[in-house]
Amino acid sequence: MSALLAPALALGLVLQQLSPGTPPSVPESPAPPPDWTAPAPPPPSPPPPAWPPPPGWPPPPAAWPPPPPPYAAPPATGDTTIATTLPRTGILERGIGLNLLQLGPMEVISSGDSAYGVALGLGVEIDLSSRTALRIPLEINYAGSSNEDGSFVEHSTVFAYVGLTPGITYRFRSERDQRWTAYVGGALKLGGFMFGRQLLGVAPNPPPATMQEFTRAGAAPQLTAGFLFTPFRWLTWRINVDYTYIYVAHTSVHALAETIGPQLSF
């Protein structure tokens, strides 16, 4: 045994002398390639919502777009224009009317007596808009009579008027070619009036006076209403009712006239 240990000890001494200060070498890990980079850290997760959740949480889902129409209607043919406002009356839509003749019966009632007669008129009508118009007719009214009693005293129930009656009418129009149109309005009688004394309940003039009527010039309010029948755009029939109130000699006089007549419209 000692013979075997001696050579081993000698070999160790030789090796120690050959490299006395060199420590034993340790293998090192290989260096990474120069273009290698470490992966980025993951993004931080969003914080949980506060409790209770704020208004609008969770957000509403995105709205789906509306589906396309299954069928597209073909474009309409012809004249589909709709007028936003009514045109003026007349065949030329100028709103000018000529009243050829308004004719009809008339009744006059007062505190003394009543009278019956006729009313006629003619004039012009001008549209102020599609529904309002200015009328300026010339009117002639006559009612009542004059007679003598057994003592040759004359009694008169005459009522007469001649003058212009300008006024404004409102027509209830809703269509361009409307056949029947109702209207209302107001006017003012401006001219001369004649009243019989018996009509007003005033004592007759004693003889030798023979005139039992007196005249007045002035104005009286009038209300009007009726219908317009338009078979053609150039022709209109006016069915009219007028009521006139007159205060004279401390007495009220009520006059009612119902007339009808043609009107040419341009």
Side-chain angles (χ1 to χ4, degrees):
M1 178 64 71
S2 59
L4 296 175
L5 291 175
L9 293 174
L11 178 61
L13 293 174
V14 172
L15 295 175
Q16 186 176 5
Q17 292 177 358
L18 293 176
S19 54
T22 304
S25 61
V26 179
E28 298 179 359
S29 59
D35 57 349
W36 181 86
T37 56
S45 59
W51 187 263
W57 181 270
W64 290 94
Y71 171 73
T77 59
D79 186 11
T80 58
T81 303
I82 300 177
T84 56
T85 57
L86 288 174
R88 301 195 178 194
T89 59
I91 189 172
L92 303 178
E93 297 182 355
R94 298 296 184 182
I96 300 176
L98 299 178
N99 293 118
L100 301 181
L101 180 64
Q102 291 285 133
L103 182 64
M106 181 177 189
E107 303 86 30
V108 181
I109 302 173
S110 185
S111 59
D113 207 336
S114 59
Y116 302 90
V118 65
L120 60 89
L122 68 162
V124 64
E125 179 174 325
I126 303 173
D127 284 11
L128 301 179
S129 68
S130 59
R131 292 184 175 90
T132 57
L134 171 66
R135 297 190 66 229
I136 309 177
L138 171 64
E139 293 188 354
I140 301 175
N141 305 150
Y142 187 87
S145 61
S146 179
N147 53 68
E148 295 181 356
D149 59 9
S151 58
F152 301 100
V153 177
E154 184 180 6
H155 298 274
S156 175
T157 59
V158 170
F159 171 82
Y161 165 74
V162 177
L164 297 176
T165 310
I168 300 293
T169 60
Y170 179 84
R171 300 164 296 192
F172 296 91
R173 293 184 65 205
S174 58
E175 300 177 4
R176 178 182 179 184
D177 298 324
Q178 190 168 327
R179 285 295 183 92
W180 289 92
T181 306
Y183 69 90
V184 294
L188 197 64
K189 284 182 176 291
L190 303 173
F193 298 85
M194 177 181 287
F195 304 94
R197 301 180 70 88
Q198 181 180 341
L199 177 67
L200 302 179
V202 180
N205 286 327
T210 59
M211 189 69 175
Q212 299 297 333
E213 298 92 7
F214 63 91
T215 60
R216 291 287 186 275
Q222 177 178 279
L223 298 177
T224 181
F227 291 93
L228 300 173
F229 174 62
T230 309
F232 309 101
R233 296 185 62 188
W234 56 272
L235 177 63
T236 298
W237 286 91
R238 179 181 295 275
I239 305 171
N240 188 74
V241 177
D242 292 329
Y243 167 73
T244 306
Y245 175 79
I246 308 167
Y247 187 77
V248 58
H250 306 286
T251 304
S252 296
V253 180
H254 308 273
L256 188 67
E258 306 91 8
T259 60
I260 185 173
Q263 173 179 305
L264 300 180
S265 300
F266 302 95

